[in-house]
């Protein structure tokens, strides 16, 4: 939900693309600067494949009302694909669906990288939150640099600078494959995507400073997040 657009200039991007096929579902959201894709399993297979765009606000409300519910949710889409019904334990939500063509998000996911870092999630979050305080006065820019360590552990530096406050520079031990790399990411985007990962470690894949970065949880292939870089002077 957080990766969907909040402005109405492109209405389809304010929704989440939901693809249903057999016993699988895929959710995809993009706002022009980042892309989040989540794969999961349905409890029951469906007959015909279906693709709809559900407003992100609707799914945010569903998430809020779920609370601690562990019972399954039933989702029904009208034949005209104009509305969807979400049946929760004690609540039913009906929502209009967004009409239009969602971008081909699969084309936006980089298929290769030159550098891959495995980073402890909690340490990454801690360093990012600290850097974000300094990044407020610097267009929200957080710089990430990855240094392979050879025989020893590699390092990821998380830094930000503010003209009147100064610089912040944090280092995290990481397992790094490939070359040295650097990428600058909006602090808000980085904080939000790390909060969405529920595994103890995260993978960061990068190529050049002007190429998108890819983050995903370690040990799971059901979630991937692509974020566009910010252009900075290194």
């Amino acid at each position: 939900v957080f990766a969907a657009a909040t402005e109405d200039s492109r209405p389809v991007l304010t929704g989440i693309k939901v693809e249903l096929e057999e016993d699988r579902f895929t959710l995809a959201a993009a706002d022009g600067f980042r892309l989040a894709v989540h794969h999961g399993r349905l409890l029951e297979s469906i007959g015909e494949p279906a693709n709809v765009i559900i407003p992100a606000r609707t799914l945010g409300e569903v998430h809020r009302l779920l609370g601690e519910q562990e019972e399954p949710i039933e989702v029904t889409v009208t034949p005209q694909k104009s509305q969807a019904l979400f049946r929760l334990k004690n609540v039913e939500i009906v929502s209009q669906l967004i009409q239009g063509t969602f971008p081909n998000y699969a084309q936006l996911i980089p298929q290769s990288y030159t550098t891959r870092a495995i980073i402890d999630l909690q340490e990454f979050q801690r360093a990012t939150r600290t850097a974000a305080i300094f990044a407020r006065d610097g267009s929200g820019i957080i710089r990430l640099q990855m240094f392979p360590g050879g025989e020893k552990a590699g390092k990821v530096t998380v830094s930000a600078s503010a003209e009147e406050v100064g610089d912040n520079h944090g280092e995290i031990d990481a397992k790094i494959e490939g070359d040295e790399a650097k990428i600058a990411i909006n602090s808000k985007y980085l904080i939000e995507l790390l909060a969405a990962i529920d595994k103890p470690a995260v993978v960061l894949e990068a190529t050049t400073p002007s190429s998108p970065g890819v983050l995903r949880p370690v040990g799971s292939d059901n979630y991937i997040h692509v974020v566009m870089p910010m252009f900075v002077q290194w």
Side-chain angles (χ1 to χ4, degrees), residues 195-209:
I197 290 175
D198 59 358
K199 298 290 182 183
V202 61
V203 171
L204 169 60
E205 297 169 355
T207 46
T208 69

Side-chain angles (χ1 to χ4, degrees), residues 6-140:
T6 53
E7 296 179 4
D8 291 335
S9 55
R10 292 183 68 189
V12 292
L13 295 185
T14 64
I16 291 173
K17 174 79 174 290
V18 180
E19 300 172 347
L20 307 169
E21 185 174 5
E22 296 178 350
D23 65 342
R24 301 186 302 275
F25 72 85
T26 300
L27 309 178
D31 65 0
F33 301 100
R34 52 186 168 171
L35 163 71
V37 182
H38 181 87
H39 303 285
R41 291 277 176 185
L42 302 172
L43 293 181
E44 295 180 6
S45 293
I46 60 168
E48 292 181 17
N51 294 322
V52 294
I53 304 174
I54 300 174
R57 288 176 63 180
T58 300
L59 286 184
E61 196 66 14
V62 169
H63 176 258
R64 187 181 68 80
L65 291 168
L66 271 175
E68 300 300 316
Q69 175 180 329
E70 295 183 1
E71 291 83 358
I73 302 172
E74 185 180 299
V75 184
T76 307
V77 177
T78 59
Q80 298 82 13
K81 294 186 178 174
S82 59
Q83 290 182 315
L85 166 67
F86 298 85
R87 190 170 282 122
L88 283 65
K89 185 179 178 183
N90 299 313
V91 185
E92 291 186 353
I93 299 175
V94 177
S95 172
Q96 294 293 115
L97 297 177
I98 297 173
Q99 305 304 313
T101 302
F102 199 83
N104 182 353
Y105 63 85
Q107 292 182 341
L108 306 175
I109 301 173
Q111 299 302 309
S112 62
Y113 57 85
T114 58
T115 309
R116 184 176 193 266
I118 299 177
I119 311 165
D120 179 86
L121 179 65
Q122 286 192 335
E123 285 194 34
F124 201 1
Q125 285 179 309
R126 200 176 299 122
T128 299
R129 282 195 291 265
T130 304
I133 296 168
F134 289 79
R136 283 179 198 151
D137 296 331
S139 304

